Amino acid sequence: MNNSFVNTARLLGAGLRALLVLTLVTGVIYPLAVTGIAQGLFGTKANGSEIKADGKVVGSSLIGQQYNLPLRKGQETPDADLKWFQGRPANGLGTNSVNTRYKLILSGATNLSADSKVLVKQVDDAKAAVVKENTVPGYTVKPADVPADAVTSSGSGLDPAISPAYAELQVHRIAAKNGLSVAQVETLVRDHTTGRTLGFIGEPQVNVLQLNIALKDLTAKH
């Protein structure tokens, strides 16, 4: 048998064995090991930081939700459902116009400059709405009381948290709409306020979905 043919066959055999070994290691063993470690040590985060209520997944702690009333006939923008805590505005979001079979929401910022007349009007309109919606008998909200996160969207438009100041501003409205005492709702906000990471990274915040789940449980007991 020709030595050149034998050498070629040996090289092909060695290459095939190397391919099979690398495929097994990098395509099977390594992914399984990483998945197993992730599930074992960081199961909640690996699965999307899911939040459950009443035994089912209702959202993620990483993605904000809208709390709106159903659209009325002829209405393009739904009204906020004021019995729930409201999150940040989502002015940067768009709608899917490419694949219209799916009603997708696009994440993003407004990309408007600080001196943009459109942005200024959005902020002014949002501030007026926050003042109006959160002013209830015995409690008046002034424009100066409205924190920045109540009238501006985040970079993604999907921020799941609000500042303690914005949560506290909504307390009297939430109490009035749900037949609760102000003290009860204040305790709810306080219990769901998280501090800075490691004591110095970021800002204190309140996850709106988790807060509203607790609010639902509280009203059910009331």
Side-chain angles (χ1 to χ4, degrees):
M1 184 178 292
N2 189 294
N3 288 336
S4 177
F5 178 80
V6 172
N7 290 335
T8 300
R10 288 175 177 173
L11 289 173
L12 288 174
L16 181 59
R17 288 193 296 273
L19 175 62
L20 291 174
V21 170
L22 289 173
T23 299
L24 180 63
V25 172
T26 62
V28 179
I29 296 176
Y30 177 75
L32 287 176
V34 171
T35 300
I37 292 172
Q39 289 294 328
L41 300 179
F42 313 102
T44 300
K45 292 182 179 180
N47 292 325
S49 299
E50 296 173 340
I51 295 179
K52 294 183 178 180
D54 300 325
K56 61 182 181 181
V57 176
V58 295
S60 168
S61 64
L62 304 176
I63 301 175
Q65 298 187 21
Q66 300 284 309
Y67 297 90
N68 296 325
L69 295 169
L71 278 172
R72 298 194 302 271
K73 186 176 180 180
Q75 192 179 34
E76 295 184 1
T77 303
D79 295 325
D81 190 345
L82 298 179
K83 71 179 182 181
W84 302 110
F85 282 95
Q86 297 294 311
R88 297 185 65 173
N91 295 330
L93 299 182
T95 55
N96 171 47
S97 60
V98 179
N99 189 342
T100 55
R101 290 177 58 195
Y102 303 98
K103 293 183 179 180
L104 303 179
I105 294 179
L106 309 180
S107 169
T110 62
N111 290 328
L112 298 173
S113 64
D115 60 352
S116 165
K117 292 182 179 179
V118 174
L119 180 60
V120 171
K121 186 176 187 307
Q122 286 180 355
V123 171
D124 287 342
D125 289 347
K127 181 177 289 189
V130 169
V131 169
K132 179 181 178 181
E133 293 169 353
N134 291 282
T135 294
V136 296
Y139 180 75
T140 301
V141 176
K142 300 176 182 178
D145 299 330
V146 180
D149 63 306
V151 296
T152 57
S153 61
S154 63
S156 68
L158 298 173
D159 197 333
I162 56 178
S163 66
Y166 186 26
E168 291 164 4
L169 182 145
Q170 301 182 61
V171 163
H172 286 76
R173 165 175 57 80
I174 294 295
K177 293 287 184 180
N178 291 281
L180 301 171
S181 70
V182 170
Q184 285 177 302
V185 184
E186 286 177 335
T187 299
L188 208 62
V189 171
R190 186 165 56 250
D191 290 345
H192 287 81
T193 298
T194 57
R196 294 179 173 86
T197 303
L198 300 178
F200 67 95
I201 300 175
E203 295 293 333
Q205 60 182 7
V206 184
N207 186 284
V208 180
L209 174 56
Q210 292 174 332
L211 181 60
N212 278 332
I213 290 173
L215 173 62
K216 180 182 178 182
D217 292 340
L218 180 61
T219 54
K221 298 174 182 177
H222 186 68

